[in-house]
Amino acid sequence: MELTSRLLKIVAVDPGNNLGMACLEVDLSTGLITAIDAHTLVIDDIIKTYHEELVEKHGTLLARTHTIGKYLVKYCEKHEPDYGCHETAFSAHGRSRFGNSVESFAKLRENTLAIKLGMMQYDQEMLIAPINPQTVKYAVVGAQSSDKSQVSAAIKAKEDLNITFDTQYLDEHSWDALAIGYTFIKKQILGTPKNEHSKRNQRSKRNK
């Protein structure tokens, strides 16, 4: 049976201490990208409110891993993505001005693993793509920069991106997630000529 869908949906995650999450959809016929949702999950607040017993019994690492995976599964179940993507951890170790870089890098790696586990729990067959931070900056801003305000300004200015929700209260993590999803679509879906159709009708139901 020939598939007629020309839409692909992507869930993108920024693996910071606060988790930026975004859902975008691309029309393969027109190249138009639509931002459906973006928000930030404040992991520490959620653990403190709902999962303190996990910290007491199993420690902070497992509590964070459990929380990230749980909420990411819910997010994917809501939006039903064809692909998942996340930014990779950037290490600045070896540079004296980044005294805590090794610890930060380790936490990002832990968050990234939790993201992959959550997406895999949602659907074991779904591609989960890592996106390099420098690639995101160049694809969205056009240059390497640490100025977070440039990311939001550049995303708003994209003529091939339609944002369908109010962005007034988005923070830098949400904007980063949108930028990661946009970069994945531009580089790995639209950037490679291929006949891509939505996988939603090709795969069995989600692996619970």
Side-chain angles (χ1 to χ4, degrees), residues 23-25 31-37 155-165 167 178 182:
C23 180
L24 303 91
E25 190 172 66
L32 179 64
I33 302 169
T34 301
I36 297 171
D37 176 76
I155 284 291
K156 291 176 184 177
K158 297 297 181 185
E159 295 183 355
D160 58 350
L161 176 63
N162 177 32
I163 300 177
T164 61
F165 55 92
T167 63
L178 284 170
Y182 179 86

Side-chain angles (χ1 to χ4, degrees), residues 64-74 114-115 117-118 121:
R64 286 184 63 84
T65 301
H66 169 80
T67 302
I68 291 171
K70 177 181 178 180
Y71 282 87
L72 193 52
V73 167
K74 288 184 177 180
I115 290 165
L117 288 172
Q121 183 179 348

